[in-house]
């Protein structure tokens, strides 16, 4: 798989409901999702730590899976 973007075949397979392809897409976007979910966490002494908000990450992954299932490829636009 190209490091810049997922292949057409992978996306098409995920849209068709292939669980392995969906997992590969989620793995492909995992670093970006984790980066978007960084939040500061403060301990009892006031020290700040940057952590991944796992609840938010789960919600984003769920939304991505819903988008994949509803995604439609416009073949007319491809032909032109």
């Amino acid at each position: 798989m190209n490091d810049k973007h997922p292949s057409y075949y992978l996306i098409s397979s995920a849209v068709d409901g292939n669980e392995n392809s969906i997992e590969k897409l989620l793995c492909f976007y995992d670093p970006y999702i984790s980066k978007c979910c960084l939040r500061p966490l403060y301990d009892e002494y006031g020290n700040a730590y940057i952590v991944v908000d796992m609840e938010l990450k789960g919600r984003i992954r769920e939304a991505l899976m819903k988008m994949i299932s509803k995604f439609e490829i416009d073949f007319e636009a491809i032909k032109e």
Side-chain angles (χ1 to χ4, degrees):
M1 178 170 27
N2 189 341
D3 290 335
K4 294 182 181 181
H5 54 81
S7 69
Y8 171 82
Y9 174 77
L10 180 64
I11 294 170
S12 177
S13 181
V15 168
D16 289 340
N18 184 311
E19 292 179 16
N20 291 332
S21 296
I22 292 170
E23 186 60 35
K24 285 181 182 179
L25 270 179
L26 290 173
C27 287
F28 180 83
Y29 287 110
D30 188 64
Y32 176 72
I33 294 170
S34 292
K35 180 82 171 179
C36 291
C37 296
L38 292 178
R39 299 286 180 255
L41 177 70
Y42 299 94
D43 65 11
E44 63 271 9
Y45 303 108
N47 299 321
Y49 300 94
I50 303 298
V51 297
V52 175
D53 184 341
M54 295 306 288
E55 183 179 346
L56 179 59
K57 185 174 179 176
R59 288 181 180 198
I60 291 174
R61 286 174 57 96
E62 180 183 353
L64 183 58
M65 286 188 281
K66 286 181 183 178
M67 286 185 227
I68 290 169
S69 68
K70 294 179 182 178
F71 187 76
E72 293 183 15
I73 299 172
D74 185 10
F75 291 107
E76 293 299 321
I78 294 172
K79 291 179 183 178
E80 296 176 359

